[in-house]
Amino acid sequence: MAESAEEVYARVVAQVGEGGRLPMPPVEEWDIFPWEGELVPKVVGPPLDAEAPRWGEGDKPCHCATQELPDHPIWRNERWVVSTTDGPTGMPLMCFLHPVEHQDLHELDDEMAGELGQITVWLHRIMARLTNIGRVHVCKWGDGGSHLHLWFIARTARLPHILGSMAVEWNEMLPPGPEDVWRDDVRRVAAKLASHDGRALV
Ligand SMILES: [Zn+2]
């Protein structure tokens, strides 16, 4: 059994005192760490009474309550949809895979779980084969929304530091690329997915 929030918090306070800051971890020395200069960790706050509601919980409606598909869809089949961002991003392409119906990862039945694996491999392979892409990162967090969405983040080949788990942070900093290049890649991904199943929406 994992420790409760109170137990973790008590251990933090025992180390640095209430309102104290934990020491900076060695991530600052990682080659992929995006920032230089003096940084300090945020002060860890005391435990909340309950988890904050995510989109699709409590009084925060999910996108699927008002529209069939998430914003900026590029491909769909009967049960799955791939969307992208509203325009070019710092990273060359970001796509999101969602079930059409409102389900989180732990709620998928075995058939949906199998389809998730298959589409993940298709989408990863298609994005990784785009010109100038070095790698595709596949991520699932879920602290923001309760409707399952996997992130597929393509990174540019041969750029030092812009690697690994800091992809989202680098994405926020890099200047977005040209619209026509991005749109061409989006269309290519949608068309290639449609050669497996479903249909392109762009
Ligand atoms: Zn939903």
Side-chain angles (χ1 to χ4, degrees), residues 55-56 62-65 100-103 146-148:
W55 292 107
C62 185
H63 67 79
C64 68
V100 173
E101 296 287 324
H102 187 102
Q103 287 184 296
S146 61
H147 193 134
L148 173 62

Side-chain angles (χ1 to χ4, degrees), residues 101-112:
E101 296 287 324
H102 187 102
Q103 287 184 296
D104 206 344
L105 185 60
H106 64 280
E107 296 168 325
L108 301 182
D109 63 22
D110 287 353
E111 196 175 347
M112 286 289 281

Side-chain angles (χ1 to χ4, degrees), residues 20-195:
R21 295 177 194 277
L22 292 163
M24 271 301 285
V27 292
E28 206 176 13
E29 297 160 20
W30 290 359
D31 189 51
I32 64 171
F33 194 69
W35 297 287
E36 293 180 328
E38 192 176 346
L39 292 171
V40 292
K42 282 189 174 169
V43 173
V44 177
L48 307 171
D49 292 336
E51 286 273 322
R54 305 177 294 170
W55 292 107
E57 294 173 340
D59 58 357
K60 294 175 76 174
C62 185
H63 67 79
C64 68
T66 52
Q67 56 195 56
E68 188 191 5
L69 300 180
D71 290 339
H72 317 298
I74 67 168
W75 169 92
R76 70 166 297 172
N77 68 7
E78 198 182 331
R79 302 204 282 182
W80 294 90
V81 55
V82 173
S83 67
T84 187
T85 49
D86 62 355
T89 44
M91 288 292 184
L93 183 60
M94 297 176 68
C95 293
F96 307 93
L97 173 61
H98 332 235
V100 173
E101 296 287 324
H102 187 102
Q103 287 184 296
D104 206 344
L105 185 60
H106 64 280
E107 296 168 325
L108 301 182
D109 63 22
D110 287 353
E111 196 175 347
M112 286 289 281
E115 292 174 10
L116 174 70
Q118 196 167 43
I119 299 169
T120 294
V121 173
W122 293 341
L123 182 54
H124 181 283
R125 185 162 54 216
I126 291 164
M127 290 175 71
R129 285 179 178 169
L130 294 171
T131 306
N132 291 322
I133 299 306
R135 199 89 59 203
V136 177
H137 306 305
V138 181
C139 315
K140 184 269 179 193
W141 285 283
D143 275 340
S146 61
H147 193 134
L148 173 62
H149 53 291
L150 261 61
W151 297 53
F152 291 74
I153 307 170
R155 71 155 174 83
T156 305
R158 298 181 293 104
L159 280 176
H161 312 303
I162 303 173
L163 301 167
S165 61
M166 295 288 170
V168 173
E169 289 77 5
W170 280 113
N171 181 63
E172 294 292 324
M173 288 185 281
L174 291 165
E179 168 108 20
D180 59 333
V181 172
W182 172 79
R183 199 164 291 284
D184 187 59
D185 280 343
V186 167
R187 289 204 187 101
R188 194 176 299 265
V189 167
K192 294 264 185 194
L193 275 175
S195 73

